[in-house]
Structure formats: C-alpha cells, structure tokens
Amino acid sequence: QVELVESGGGLVQAGDSLRLSCVFSGRTFSLYVMGWFRQAPGKERELVAAITSGGSTYDADSVKGRFTLSRDHAKNMVYLQMNSLKPEDTAIYYCAAKRISSSTYDYWGQGTQVTVSS
C-alpha cells in the first residue's frame, strides 16, 4: 500500500515562496507518476502539476512559470516549489500517486494547507 505524507504548508504573504514536500513509501517509487492537486473552499479539486518517473512535467496554466515540481528518486520524495504566490493559490494541497498504466490517481496524502494573504 502506498503512503504519502505532505509537509511544508503555511501562511505567507503574496509574493512569497513555499516548498511543499511529499514522501512516498510502500511501493516502488519509480513506477508511479506523482502529482500535486489543490482544493480551495467551494471549488473543485484541480491538478496543479505532475511529474513522470523520467522527469517529464505538466503544469497547470495558472501556475506556469511560478511553480516547479521535481522528484528525488534516492529519497522517494517530490517537491513543489511555489514562487510568487498569490491569494488565489490559497488551498489545501494534496500529493497523489498513480501507476504509470492507471488513468486515475489512486493514492492520496492527507493534505497541507497553504494560505496566501494579500
């Protein structure tokens, strides 16, 4: 069973940076695509960024140029570097994992709150 644990959320001001971390355990890390989702109050959960085992990335248009997703295979971790944060980035951020062959994310972390004040 895959376990994901996020950390790094907090309260920051607009323009600040945060780095979210997610540690993966329970299965072979390299077999999984890793993603970060977020959900703001009253809104649907959205995919923010994703990264394949080989390092190919996807970024949502709303975060392009500001957020960078990376993974460390030696540590079984993924990192979401968030720069130039905006109040609209306020949300609970979730780390997620899916097998390469899967169409849906099967495993989720507990979430970490990011709050950006104006």
Side-chain angles (χ1 to χ4, degrees):
Q1 183 76 2
V2 171
E3 183 177 8
L4 303 171
V5 179
E6 305 102 331
S7 60
L11 171 63
V12 297
Q13 293 187 333
D16 286 350
S17 298
L18 273 178
R19 189 178 79 158
L20 304 183
S21 301
C22 173
V23 59
F24 173 106
S25 63
R27 289 291 185 270
T28 303
F29 184 54
S30 61
L31 297 179
Y32 288 80
V33 175
M34 301 299 298
W36 281 94
F37 289 74
R38 67 186 181 187
Q39 187 165 22
K43 294 188 177 181
E44 292 190 356
R45 185 173 59 194
E46 63 171 343
L47 177 62
V48 174
I51 187 167
T52 68
S53 179
S56 297
T57 57
Y58 160 84
D59 300 309
D61 287 343
S62 58
V63 305
K64 278 189 193 304
R66 299 189 299 122
F67 290 12
T68 302
L69 181 57
S70 61
R71 65 192 291 168
D72 184 334
H73 285 269
K75 296 181 179 179
N76 283 7
M77 293 195 70
V78 289
Y79 304 100
L80 184 66
Q81 179 65 43
M82 306 186 295
N83 299 328
S84 302
L85 282 161
K86 304 175 181 180
E88 51 264 43
D89 294 318
T90 295
I92 300 175
Y93 283 71
Y94 297 91
C95 178
K98 70 181 186 80
R99 289 292 298 262
I100 294 170
S101 57
S102 177
S103 60
T104 60
Y105 284 83
D106 303 308
Y107 302 100
W108 297 83
Q110 80 286 356
T112 185
Q113 177 71 48
V114 172
T115 303
V116 185
S117 63
S118 57

PDB file of all heavy atoms in Angstrom, residues 68-84:
ATOM      1  N   THR A  68       7.323  24.838  -9.597  1.00  0.00           N
ATOM      2  CA  THR A  68       8.198  23.832 -10.197  1.00  0.00           C
ATOM      3  C   THR A  68       8.092  22.543  -9.398  1.00  0.00           C
ATOM      4  O   THR A  68       8.275  22.542  -8.177  1.00  0.00           O
ATOM      5  CB  THR A  68       9.655  24.302 -10.206  1.00  0.00           C
ATOM      6  OG1 THR A  68       9.762  25.534 -10.914  1.00  0.00           O
ATOM      7  CG2 THR A  68      10.547  23.260 -10.874  1.00  0.00           C
ATOM      8  N   LEU A  69       7.800  21.461 -10.114  1.00  0.00           N
ATOM      9  CA  LEU A  69       7.697  20.146  -9.475  1.00  0.00           C
ATOM     10  C   LEU A  69       8.933  19.326  -9.800  1.00  0.00           C
ATOM     11  O   LEU A  69       9.370  19.282 -10.950  1.00  0.00           O
ATOM     12  CB  LEU A  69       6.441  19.437  -9.974  1.00  0.00           C
ATOM     13  CG  LEU A  69       6.125  18.057  -9.406  1.00  0.00           C
ATOM     14  CD1 LEU A  69       6.023  18.106  -7.887  1.00  0.00           C
ATOM     15  CD2 LEU A  69       4.833  17.518 -10.005  1.00  0.00           C
ATOM     16  N   SER A  70       9.482  18.685  -8.791  1.00  0.00           N
ATOM     17  CA  SER A  70      10.657  17.833  -9.001  1.00  0.00           C
ATOM     18  C   SER A  70      10.524  16.599  -8.128  1.00  0.00           C
ATOM     19  O   SER A  70       9.698  16.550  -7.203  1.00  0.00           O
ATOM     20  CB  SER A  70      11.938  18.602  -8.663  1.00  0.00           C
ATOM     21  OG  SER A  70      11.943  19.007  -7.306  1.00  0.00           O
ATOM     22  N   ARG A  71      11.320  15.597  -8.433  1.00  0.00           N
ATOM     23  CA  ARG A  71      11.315  14.376  -7.634  1.00  0.00           C
ATOM     24  C   ARG A  71      12.725  13.899  -7.404  1.00  0.00           C
ATOM     25  O   ARG A  71      13.599  14.077  -8.271  1.00  0.00           O
ATOM     26  CB  ARG A  71      10.439  13.292  -8.255  1.00  0.00           C
ATOM     27  CG  ARG A  71      10.883  12.761  -9.581  1.00  0.00           C
ATOM     28  CD  ARG A  71       9.793  11.916 -10.252  1.00  0.00           C
ATOM     29  NE  ARG A  71       9.534  10.660  -9.575  1.00  0.00           N
ATOM     30  CZ  ARG A  71       8.482   9.868  -9.821  1.00  0.00           C
ATOM     31  NH1 ARG A  71       7.584  10.248 -10.729  1.00  0.00           N
ATOM     32  NH2 ARG A  71       8.308   8.734  -9.172  1.00  0.00           N
ATOM     33  N   ASP A  72      12.930  13.273  -6.262  1.00  0.00           N
ATOM     34  CA  ASP A  72      14.233  12.738  -5.870  1.00  0.00           C
ATOM     35  C   ASP A  72      14.055  11.248  -5.663  1.00  0.00           C
ATOM     36  O   ASP A  72      13.470  10.807  -4.669  1.00  0.00           O
ATOM     37  CB  ASP A  72      14.698  13.428  -4.586  1.00  0.00           C
ATOM     38  CG  ASP A  72      16.089  13.006  -4.154  1.00  0.00           C
ATOM     39  OD1 ASP A  72      16.514  11.884  -4.506  1.00  0.00           O
ATOM     40  OD2 ASP A  72      16.753  13.788  -3.468  1.00  0.00           O
ATOM     41  N   HIS A  73      14.574  10.470  -6.606  1.00  0.00           N
ATOM     42  CA  HIS A  73      14.389   9.016  -6.542  1.00  0.00           C
ATOM     43  C   HIS A  73      15.188   8.388  -5.402  1.00  0.00           C
ATOM     44  O   HIS A  73      14.814   7.338  -4.897  1.00  0.00           O
ATOM     45  CB  HIS A  73      14.755   8.390  -7.875  1.00  0.00           C
ATOM     46  CG  HIS A  73      13.717   8.614  -8.935  1.00  0.00           C
ATOM     47  ND1 HIS A  73      12.676   7.736  -9.159  1.00  0.00           N
ATOM     48  CD2 HIS A  73      13.538   9.627  -9.810  1.00  0.00           C
ATOM     49  CE1 HIS A  73      11.913   8.177 -10.143  1.00  0.00           C
ATOM     50  NE2 HIS A  73      12.415   9.338 -10.554  1.00  0.00           N
ATOM     51  N   ALA A  74      16.271   8.991  -5.021  1.00  0.00           N
ATOM     52  CA  ALA A  74      17.078   8.448  -3.925  1.00  0.00           C
ATOM     53  C   ALA A  74      16.348   8.568  -2.584  1.00  0.00           C
ATOM     54  O   ALA A  74      16.527   7.737  -1.696  1.00  0.00           O
ATOM     55  CB  ALA A  74      18.415   9.170  -3.860  1.00  0.00           C
ATOM     56  N   LYS A  75      15.507   9.611  -2.470  1.00  0.00           N
ATOM     57  CA  LYS A  75      14.802   9.847  -1.213  1.00  0.00           C
ATOM     58  C   LYS A  75      13.321   9.515  -1.289  1.00  0.00           C
ATOM     59  O   LYS A  75      12.599   9.677  -0.298  1.00  0.00           O
ATOM     60  CB  LYS A  75      14.970  11.316  -0.795  1.00  0.00           C
ATOM     61  CG  LYS A  75      16.407  11.705  -0.504  1.00  0.00           C
ATOM     62  CD  LYS A  75      16.507  13.165  -0.080  1.00  0.00           C
ATOM     63  CE  LYS A  75      17.942  13.547   0.223  1.00  0.00           C
ATOM     64  NZ  LYS A  75      18.064  14.976   0.623  1.00  0.00           N
ATOM     65  N   ASN A  76      12.857   9.099  -2.453  1.00  0.00           N
ATOM     66  CA  ASN A  76      11.418   8.822  -2.653  1.00  0.00           C
ATOM     67  C   ASN A  76      10.565  10.036  -2.295  1.00  0.00           C
ATOM     68  O   ASN A  76       9.557   9.919  -1.581  1.00  0.00           O
ATOM     69  CB  ASN A  76      10.969   7.608  -1.826  1.00  0.00           C
ATOM     70  CG  ASN A  76      11.396   6.295  -2.440  1.00  0.00           C
ATOM     71  OD1 ASN A  76      12.134   6.260  -3.425  1.00  0.00           O
ATOM     72  ND2 ASN A  76      10.956   5.211  -1.851  1.00  0.00           N
ATOM     73  N   MET A  77      10.969  11.170  -2.800  1.00  0.00           N
ATOM     74  CA  MET A  77      10.262  12.394  -2.463  1.00  0.00           C
ATOM     75  C   MET A  77       9.952  13.222  -3.699  1.00  0.00           C
ATOM     76  O   MET A  77      10.655  13.138  -4.702  1.00  0.00           O
ATOM     77  CB  MET A  77      11.079  13.241  -1.482  1.00  0.00           C
ATOM     78  CG  MET A  77      11.228  12.594  -0.121  1.00  0.00           C
ATOM     79  SD  MET A  77      11.802  13.734   1.144  1.00  0.00           S
ATOM     80  CE  MET A  77      10.378  14.795   1.342  1.00  0.00           C
ATOM     81  N   VAL A  78       8.909  14.003  -3.597  1.00  0.00           N
ATOM     82  CA  VAL A  78       8.595  15.004  -4.607  1.00  0.00           C
ATOM     83  C   VAL A  78       8.501  16.360  -3.907  1.00  0.00           C
ATOM     84  O   VAL A  78       8.111  16.437  -2.744  1.00  0.00           O
ATOM     85  CB  VAL A  78       7.299  14.708  -5.375  1.00  0.00           C
ATOM     86  CG1 VAL A  78       7.470  13.527  -6.292  1.00  0.00           C
ATOM     87  CG2 VAL A  78       6.132  14.492  -4.421  1.00  0.00           C
ATOM     88  N   TYR A  79       8.866  17.385  -4.663  1.00  0.00           N
ATOM     89  CA  TYR A  79       8.874  18.733  -4.112  1.00  0.00           C
ATOM     90  C   TYR A  79       8.107  19.662  -5.059  1.00  0.00           C
ATOM     91  O   TYR A  79       8.306  19.617  -6.267  1.00  0.00           O
ATOM     92  CB  TYR A  79      10.303  19.250  -3.984  1.00  0.00           C
ATOM     93  CG  TYR A  79      11.200  18.359  -3.173  1.00  0.00           C
ATOM     94  CD1 TYR A  79      12.079  17.478  -3.782  1.00  0.00           C
ATOM     95  CD2 TYR A  79      11.171  18.391  -1.778  1.00  0.00           C
ATOM     96  CE1 TYR A  79      12.907  16.664  -3.044  1.00  0.00           C
ATOM     97  CE2 TYR A  79      11.992  17.581  -1.023  1.00  0.00           C
ATOM     98  CZ  TYR A  79      12.863  16.717  -1.660  1.00  0.00           C
ATOM     99  OH  TYR A  79      13.672  15.913  -0.909  1.00  0.00           O
ATOM    100  N   LEU A  80       7.280  20.502  -4.472  1.00  0.00           N
ATOM    101  CA  LEU A  80       6.599  21.529  -5.254  1.00  0.00           C
ATOM    102  C   LEU A  80       7.106  22.882  -4.767  1.00  0.00           C
ATOM    103  O   LEU A  80       6.746  23.320  -3.673  1.00  0.00           O
ATOM    104  CB  LEU A  80       5.080  21.436  -5.087  1.00  0.00           C
ATOM    105  CG  LEU A  80       4.272  22.419  -5.941  1.00  0.00           C
ATOM    106  CD1 LEU A  80       4.444  22.098  -7.426  1.00  0.00           C
ATOM    107  CD2 LEU A  80       2.795  22.393  -5.561  1.00  0.00           C
ATOM    108  N   GLN A  81       7.951  23.492  -5.569  1.00  0.00           N
ATOM    109  CA  GLN A  81       8.471  24.814  -5.255  1.00  0.00           C
ATOM    110  C   GLN A  81       7.486  25.846  -5.781  1.00  0.00           C
ATOM    111  O   GLN A  81       7.215  25.876  -6.985  1.00  0.00           O
ATOM    112  CB  GLN A  81       9.840  25.014  -5.882  1.00  0.00           C
ATOM    113  CG  GLN A  81      10.449  26.393  -5.633  1.00  0.00           C
ATOM    114  CD  GLN A  81      10.763  26.642  -4.177  1.00  0.00           C
ATOM    115  OE1 GLN A  81      11.287  25.784  -3.483  1.00  0.00           O
ATOM    116  NE2 GLN A  81      10.438  27.834  -3.693  1.00  0.00           N
ATOM    117  N   MET A  82       6.972  26.649  -4.901  1.00  0.00           N
ATOM    118  CA  MET A  82       5.953  27.628  -5.265  1.00  0.00           C
ATOM    119  C   MET A  82       6.511  29.031  -5.043  1.00  0.00           C
ATOM    120  O   MET A  82       6.794  29.402  -3.895  1.00  0.00           O
ATOM    121  CB  MET A  82       4.682  27.415  -4.445  1.00  0.00           C
ATOM    122  CG  MET A  82       4.142  26.002  -4.521  1.00  0.00           C
ATOM    123  SD  MET A  82       2.555  25.802  -3.683  1.00  0.00           S
ATOM    124  CE  MET A  82       3.036  26.122  -1.987  1.00  0.00           C
ATOM    125  N   ASN A  83       6.668  29.769  -6.114  1.00  0.00           N
ATOM    126  CA  ASN A  83       7.181  31.130  -6.044  1.00  0.00           C
ATOM    127  C   ASN A  83       6.101  32.129  -6.449  1.00  0.00           C
ATOM    128  O   ASN A  83       5.108  31.759  -7.075  1.00  0.00           O
ATOM    129  CB  ASN A  83       8.395  31.286  -6.956  1.00  0.00           C
ATOM    130  CG  ASN A  83       9.537  30.382  -6.575  1.00  0.00           C
ATOM    131  OD1 ASN A  83       9.734  30.071  -5.394  1.00  0.00           O
ATOM    132  ND2 ASN A  83      10.304  29.942  -7.560  1.00  0.00           N
ATOM    133  N   SER A  84       6.323  33.376  -6.108  1.00  0.00           N
ATOM    134  CA  SER A  84       5.394  34.455  -6.473  1.00  0.00           C
ATOM    135  C   SER A  84       3.952  34.071  -6.134  1.00  0.00           C
ATOM    136  O   SER A  84       3.045  34.192  -6.963  1.00  0.00           O
ATOM    137  CB  SER A  84       5.517  34.773  -7.969  1.00  0.00           C
ATOM    138  OG  SER A  84       6.835  35.135  -8.295  1.00  0.00           O
TER     139      SER A  84
END
